[in-house]
């Protein structure tokens, strides 16, 4: 059994598309931090459940932003989770209802990642809103596909912004400095000024620089063939026009693989079935509970129901639940006194 568990572990690691060291370090860190709890059910089970969660994409839930953005697999998992959790924002309201502001979308993101930076949300909103005010409303689909590009390709877009500014300044393409992965990660660039949408830069020169960037970058970049196809259809391109084209391109969306096509954005049969089962169970319990309480209140003696221990939860849930239970016990003790 132990051998099969480790075989499963390494198969999941390969499915996570490299970055093995990142997940091994995180797993060992959680193992050491929660060794008392883990000792109750064994190290082999812990590693099996941890890497199963990596494979399923649920390992990023409620984790810190530094971990959520650590690998392409983590970013894709976060995008998929955000879509599955909040797709009903657009589905229930129809095409023109339930529009939200950037701040409101940011609140949804923080439900999954409490320290998610507002800056990334604002950058995604700027792709949709262009020159409109940042407090304007956006549909779920528009924000989601713009957010996907901004979040998954954030380092690439930082470098694109620098290249675009250099081309606007009239530098020769051969002398344009393409930011490296180490420098582009920490430099803060002002958003390019696209005041006149008829201006921009020459699309062919822009693509030459982007092609060189994709060849040299250590971070994720959109497929060069799709970028070339996009820029070959126009003579000039603005920065935000390029970002909007990336967000709307279904070929890039399919290559990334985190979200469905736009036409299927509000379809998730597996999740719908689970929700229907859950609603049915809750409804059945509430109906039977109210009926039995009305019939048996007089006949049944008053007694304290035994406390049932909940099944094993992921470690980041377990610690939170333990803290909350300790707080509730203190309040109960004080009230009894």
């Amino acid at each position: 059994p132990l051998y099969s568990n480790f075989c499963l572990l390494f198969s999941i690691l390969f499915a996570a598309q490299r970055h093995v060291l990142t997940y091994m370090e995180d797993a060992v860190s959680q193992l050491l931090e929660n060794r008392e709890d883990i000792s109750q059910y064994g190290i082999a089970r812990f590693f099996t459940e941890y890497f199963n969660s990596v494979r399923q994409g649920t390992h990023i839930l409620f984790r810190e932003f530094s971990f959520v953005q650590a690998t392409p697999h983590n970013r894709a998992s976060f995008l998929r989770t955000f879509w599955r959790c909040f797709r009903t924002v657009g589905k229930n309201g129809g095409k023109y209802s339930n529009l939200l502001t950037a701040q409101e979308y940011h609140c949804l993101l923080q439900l999954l990642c409490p320290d998610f930076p507002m800056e990334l949300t604002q950058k995604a909103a700027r792709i949709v809103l262009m020159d409109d005010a940042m407090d304007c409303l956006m549909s779920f689909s528009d924000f989601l596909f713009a957010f996907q590009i901004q979040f998954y390709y954030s380092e690439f877009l930082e470098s694109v912004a620098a290249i675009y500014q250099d081309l606007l300044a009239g530098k020769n393409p051969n002398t344009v400095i393409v930011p490296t992965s180490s420098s582009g990660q920490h430099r803060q660039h002002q958003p390019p000024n696209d005041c006149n949408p008829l201006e921009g830069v020459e699309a062919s020169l822009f693509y030459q620089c982007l092609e060189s960037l994709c060849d040299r970058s250590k971070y994720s970049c959109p497929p060069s063939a799709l970028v070339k196809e996009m820029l070959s259809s126009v003579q000039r391109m603005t920065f935000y026009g390029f970002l909007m084209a990336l967000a709307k391109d279904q070929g890039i969306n399919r290559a990334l693989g985190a979200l469905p096509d736009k036409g299927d954005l509000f379809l998730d049969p597996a999740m719908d079935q689970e929700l229907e089962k859950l609603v049915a169970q809750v409804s059945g319990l509430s109906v039977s509970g109210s009926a039995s309480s009305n019939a048996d209140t007089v006949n049944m003696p008053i007694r304290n129901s035994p406390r049932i221990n909940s099944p094993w939860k992921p470690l980041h849930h377990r610690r939170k639940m333990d803290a909350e239970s300790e707080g509730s016990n203190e309040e109960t003790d004080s009230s009894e006194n």
Side-chain angles (χ1 to χ4, degrees):
L2 182 62
Y3 175 78
S4 61
N5 284 336
F6 278 102
C7 287
L8 174 62
L9 184 155
F10 284 105
S11 66
I12 294 170
L13 281 174
F14 282 110
Q17 298 177 357
R18 302 184 302 275
H19 299 281
V20 175
L21 185 59
T22 299
Y23 296 113
M24 288 299 299
E25 289 178 346
D26 184 64
V28 172
S29 176
Q30 291 200 36
L31 176 65
L32 295 176
E33 184 179 354
N34 303 275
R35 54 184 176 273
E36 294 182 1
D37 294 332
I38 294 171
S39 63
Q40 299 177 8
Y41 52 86
I43 295 177
R45 178 182 171 187
F46 165 76
F47 277 110
T48 300
E49 294 192 5
Y50 176 87
F51 287 104
N52 262 325
S53 70
V54 172
R55 178 180 60 84
Q56 295 167 1
T58 57
H59 64 299
I60 47 79
L61 279 170
F62 317 119
R63 294 296 303 272
E64 63 279 5
F65 178 73
S66 59
F67 180 75
V68 169
Q69 68 152 2
T71 70
H73 176 69
N74 286 8
R75 297 187 188 195
S77 299
F78 186 80
L79 288 166
R80 190 177 300 108
T81 301
F82 181 76
W83 160 64
R84 297 192 74 184
C85 288
F86 303 116
R87 65 191 173 88
T88 53
V89 169
K91 179 180 179 181
N92 292 342
K95 186 175 181 180
Y96 299 106
S97 301
N98 285 355
L99 305 177
L100 301 179
T101 64
Q103 180 62 50
E104 290 168 329
Y105 281 116
H106 184 66
C107 291
L108 296 181
L109 290 167
Q110 287 187 311
L111 291 177
L112 304 179
C113 176
D115 65 336
F116 197 91
M118 182 65 184
E119 181 186 6
L120 270 180
T121 309
Q122 291 175 333
K123 287 182 177 180
R126 178 60 65 194
I127 298 175
V128 179
L129 300 175
M130 302 291 282
D131 295 328
D132 293 333
M134 288 299 293
D135 59 351
C136 288
L137 300 174
M138 295 171 283
S139 70
F140 180 74
S141 60
D142 287 345
F143 175 79
L144 181 62
F145 285 112
F147 174 70
Q148 173 177 238
I149 294 299
Q150 182 61 61
F151 177 58
Y152 193 86
Y153 296 124
S154 57
E155 294 84 4
F156 169 75
L157 297 185
E158 283 286 332
S159 299
V160 171
I163 292 173
Y164 183 84
Q165 291 282 29
D166 288 341
L167 290 176
L168 280 181
K171 291 186 178 181
N172 188 290
N174 294 326
T175 62
V176 171
I177 300 176
V178 178
T180 61
S181 57
S182 58
S183 63
Q185 183 178 8
H186 302 289
R187 291 198 318 182
Q188 296 294 326
H189 299 291
Q190 292 296 325
N193 186 5
D194 285 347
C195 293
N196 188 349
L198 298 179
E199 293 298 327
V201 298
E202 187 176 341
S204 59
L205 296 180
F206 194 30
Y207 172 71
Q208 290 177 20
C209 297
L210 296 187
E211 186 180 29
S212 175
L213 169 64
C214 292
D215 291 339
R216 296 174 54 182
S217 177
K218 296 181 180 180
Y219 292 100
S220 299
C221 300
S224 297
L226 296 177
V227 174
K228 181 178 182 180
E229 180 181 351
M230 182 188 309
L231 292 176
S232 63
S233 61
V234 295
Q235 291 185 341
R236 304 187 70 82
M237 178 66 77
T238 64
F239 177 73
Y240 282 108
F242 176 67
L243 266 57
M244 178 61 76
L246 289 176
K248 290 184 175 181
D249 193 290
Q250 288 301 299
I252 291 178
N253 178 58
R254 295 188 191 104
L256 200 153
L259 301 176
D261 288 347
K262 190 171 183 178
D264 299 328
L265 193 62
F266 303 118
L267 301 177
D268 190 358
M271 179 65 77
D272 288 340
Q273 287 182 355
E274 292 298 323
L275 289 175
E276 289 174 0
K277 291 179 182 178
L278 181 61
V279 170
Q281 290 175 359
V282 172
S283 300
L285 288 174
S286 61
V287 171
S288 61
S290 60
S292 60
S293 62
N294 291 335
D296 301 334
T297 299
V298 178
N299 299 326
M300 290 293 292
I302 298 175
R303 62 179 181 181
N304 294 326
S305 58
R307 182 181 179 87
I308 301 175
N309 293 327
S310 61
W312 181 84
K313 296 287 193 304
L315 296 178
H316 49 274
H317 294 293
R318 176 186 288 271
R319 294 175 62 85
K320 183 177 179 182
M321 291 171 61
D322 291 343
E324 291 176 350
S325 63
E326 291 174 2
S328 62
N329 290 337
E330 293 175 358
E331 293 177 0
T332 303
D333 295 340
S334 62
S335 63
E336 290 177 353
N337 295 333

